[in-house]
Amino acid sequence: MTNPHDPYGQQYQPSGQFEQPYGLQPYQPPQQQYYGHQGYVRPPDQGMAVASLVCSLIGLVMCFPAILGIIFGHIALSKAKRGEAGGQGMAQAGMVIGYVVTALWLIPVILWFVFAVLAVGAASVS
């Protein structure tokens, strides 16, 4: 039985439902997709690189921490190259600053030692 007011030619069923012509399926809402839990990804460890940079900068005031900055920088750089940690640039900066600061501290110490030896040598000659 067709409905004369229906331009699409749907068949009226006695149950009050319209039959879909041409094998059309009724609209189905899309299925919700559930994704697995994305775990927290821990950022790479940069502790040694930070320690290298901080110790090297503190070495501007005191000499000894600059040497620690060089050591920490080498350790952090090797870890970064192996992929175990991040902060490769910070480790390189800490090493360079540590070497420069250590050199700036060693130059006056070496000069003082040379002048002390020369003074002792000059005093013993006369």
Side-chain angles (χ1 to χ4, degrees):
M1 182 169 72
T2 56
N3 187 351
H5 302 291
D6 185 16
Y8 300 109
Q10 294 180 339
Q11 298 285 330
Y12 180 73
Q13 301 293 324
S15 64
Q17 298 288 329
F18 285 100
E19 184 179 305
Q20 298 288 333
Y22 310 114
L24 295 176
Q25 299 295 322
Y27 173 74
Q28 300 268 337
Q31 297 283 332
Q32 280 204 342
Q33 296 178 356
Y34 295 99
Y35 297 102
H37 175 67
Q38 300 291 331
Y40 174 72
V41 178
R42 186 173 167 224
D45 185 23
Q46 298 180 359
M48 288 293 244
V50 171
S52 168
L53 190 59
V54 169
C55 286
S56 295
L57 291 174
I58 292 175
L60 291 169
V61 180
M62 302 179 283
C63 180
F64 184 69
I67 298 169
L68 290 176
I70 294 169
I71 295 169
F72 291 153
H74 279 285
I75 294 170
L77 188 61
S78 66
K79 280 186 172 184
K81 285 184 178 179
R82 286 191 308 255
E84 296 175 8
Q88 182 174 357
M90 207 178 325
Q92 288 174 340
M95 283 184 354
V96 169
I97 293 171
Y99 279 123
V100 169
V101 169
T102 303
L104 290 175
W105 277 99
L106 284 179
I107 291 172
V109 170
I110 292 171
L111 289 176
W112 178 82
F113 184 73
V114 168
F115 287 131
V117 169
L118 290 176
V120 169
S124 65
V125 172
S126 40

